[in-house]
Structures are given as C-alpha cells and as structure tokens.
Amino acid sequence: LFYRTIYRITDVKIPLDTGDFRLMDRKVVNVMNNMRECHRFLRGMSAWVGFKQVGVEYKRAARISGETKYPFRKMLRLAINAVTGFSYFPLQVATFFGFASAGLAIIAIPVVAILRLAGTHFFEGQTTTLVFVLFLGGVQLISLGILGEYIGRLYDEAKGRPLYIVREAPED
C-alpha cells in the first residue's frame, strides 16, 4: 500500500515493492554521496538521480529466528521521510480542503438566507456564525496551503540536490 501511495503522490517514479539492497554503478554512488540530505529515503533518491535501473525479482524466505530490527515505528518514520522528501501532496491536501470548506460555506450562505426568509426554523441560532467560521476556516486552510507550497520550495532548495546529473561527459 505504501509503494502504491508514494508512486501516485510523487513526481519521482519509485519502482514498486523495492528494497534498499541494490548494486549500483560508481557514478550513481558518487551522485548520491554528493546529495547533502540528512533524512535519506534511498529508494526514492536512487530513482530520482535518473540512471537506468533493472529490478531483480526474488522470493524472500521467511525469518527463521529472531525479531525484526525494523518495527512499525521505524517503518512509519521511513514513510514520513519518503512523503516529505519527495512530495508536496500533504501541503496540497490542506489547500484542497480549504477550497472545499470555503466553497461549502459560499453555497451555504444563500441556502441559509433563503430558508430564513422563508420562515423555516431549521436554521435558527448559530447558523450564521457556523457558516462564517466554516468560510474563515477555509480561507485559513487555503492560506496555509499557499505558505506550505513556499516552504516546500525552500525545503527543496535546502536539500541541495543538483539541478542536473550528467551521465557521461563528452571527451575532448
């Protein structure tokens, strides 16, 4: 589920169901070593650098003894590093909910006004306040999403990933 989710929400096409075990060319290792990121998601970084990858399928045998050294908490941390390192999706979710909330409030304003004028007692009391709070909450989420987009761009700059990766330099 994680790989399918990360595949959909990132621009980097990380191969599905991959592990961290891999054989890499020295050029790829050098590029990845030059990336200054502290919270590394190697599966995403190796896909991001853009070199050709070939998967080797195998059936992993069941654990014979001992316990995993990678419990749920570490897997969750890895997933968070993957999403925050390669996707703006969580920031865009805030913007989406902001527009949905503000849109719902904009639709609710005339509905409440018409029902009040018609003499319906269904929307009495705090309805105006609730619609107003819904609208302002939507505006705040939109603003938060916009700020998040800027912070995401600053985060991309702070990671210091190279703009271009040259596979082969022309020989003089």
Side-chain angles (χ1 to χ4, degrees):
L1 180 63
F2 164 73
Y3 282 106
R4 276 122 191 103
T5 303
I6 197 79
Y7 190 84
R8 287 180 169 264
I9 66 172
T10 64
D11 293 333
V12 178
K13 296 308 170 202
I14 301 166
L16 298 176
D17 303 323
T18 59
D20 280 330
F21 302 106
R22 59 191 71 231
L23 179 64
M24 294 188 286
D25 187 86
R26 173 51 56 191
K27 292 176 188 175
V28 178
V29 173
N30 289 342
V31 169
M32 289 179 63
N33 281 339
N34 287 332
M35 296 170 77
R36 304 175 319 165
E37 298 176 42
C38 296
H39 303 286
R40 294 175 161 248
F41 178 61
L42 294 177
R43 298 162 203 179
M45 290 171 66
S46 63
W48 183 86
V49 295
F51 289 91
K52 182 182 175 185
Q53 295 185 34
V54 177
V56 178
E57 290 188 29
Y58 68 96
K59 293 242 182 212
R60 185 172 57 178
R63 182 181 296 276
I64 297 171
S65 64
E67 292 184 13
T68 180
K69 302 294 186 272
Y70 219 77
F72 180 74
R73 177 181 275 170
K74 283 187 178 181
M75 286 194 292
L76 184 61
R77 191 176 315 135
L78 176 74
I80 290 170
N81 282 341
V83 171
T84 57
F86 289 92
S87 175
Y88 290 144
F89 182 74
L91 303 172
Q92 293 165 341
V93 167
T95 307
F96 171 77
F97 280 125
F99 277 113
S101 176
L104 186 64
I106 289 171
I107 291 170
I109 290 169
V111 170
V112 169
I114 290 170
L115 289 174
R116 282 240 178 119
L117 291 173
T120 305
H121 298 290
F122 186 70
F123 287 108
E124 286 185 348
Q126 301 296 326
T127 308
T128 308
T129 305
L130 290 175
V131 170
F132 189 68
V133 167
L134 182 66
F135 179 74
L136 284 181
V139 170
Q140 287 175 337
L141 280 174
I142 293 168
S143 301
L144 187 65
I146 292 169
L147 284 173
E149 287 285 335
Y150 282 114
I151 291 171
R153 291 172 191 216
L154 288 172
Y155 178 59
D156 274 347
E157 293 292 326
K159 284 188 281 193
R161 290 182 182 168
L163 293 177
Y164 304 100
I165 297 171
V166 179
R167 184 177 317 172
E168 293 180 30
E171 296 190 27
D172 292 331

